[in-house]
Amino acid sequence: MSGLDFYAHVATHCDVLGAGVGSGPGAWGATVGPDYLDDPGDQVLRRDYGLVEVSISDADGPMSCFGISVQVHRLIHGHCVPPSLVREYGGFTRRIRFEELRSVILSPGCAVEPDDQGLTAANP
């Protein structure tokens, strides 16, 4: 597998190594690893793993993830990839082309559509 496979998996499955939307902070730490920076905000905790950021809140009950963000641009600046992702996916290149990612996302039958803000999102 590759970094490209990782990006496509997150876009189409909304999880990172099994931790996803609805997972609590403990599950993220156990799955992705102990190396992160917690940035608490007003009712939202942003957990930063370098390549991956998760947003966690207790607005709907116990603390759980409600958003996952992959920060590919950080690789250009040497930000880290969690060791758990390197073990699972191998090396991550500093850049990817959108057309390559789009092709991998489309291959299992998912769609890539623009969202309301002019960004691109994957929809199964």
Side-chain angles (χ1 to χ4, degrees), residues 10 14-16 19-21 28 52-55 65-70:
V10 173
C14 298
D15 77 69
V16 175
V21 171
W28 281 95
V52 176
E53 283 187 13
V54 295
S55 298
C65 173
F66 68 89
I68 304 167
S69 177
V70 178

Side-chain angles (χ1 to χ4, degrees), residues 18-41:
V21 171
S23 298
W28 281 95
T31 304
V32 182
D35 296 327
Y36 56 82
L37 171 68
D38 277 346
D39 181 18

Side-chain angles (χ1 to χ4, degrees), residues 38-105:
D38 277 346
D39 181 18
D42 188 28
Q43 299 180 335
V44 174
L45 170 68
R46 183 180 63 88
R47 180 164 286 181
D48 187 344
Y49 287 95
L51 177 62
V52 176
E53 283 187 13
V54 295
S55 298
I56 300 169
S57 174
D58 61 358
D60 295 326
M63 293 289 284
S64 62
C65 173
F66 68 89
I68 304 167
S69 177
V70 178
Q71 306 288 330
V72 180
H73 66 279
R74 291 181 173 177
L75 298 178
I76 294 170
H77 305 291
H79 287 276
C80 69
V81 176
S84 57
L85 295 180
V86 174
R87 283 191 299 276
E88 182 71 23
Y89 291 96
F92 284 73
T93 60
R94 295 179 129 198
R95 296 172 193 225
I96 61 166
R97 299 189 62 74
F98 177 74
E99 284 305 316
E100 292 175 84
L101 178 58
R102 184 177 184 275
S103 176
V104 174
I105 290 172

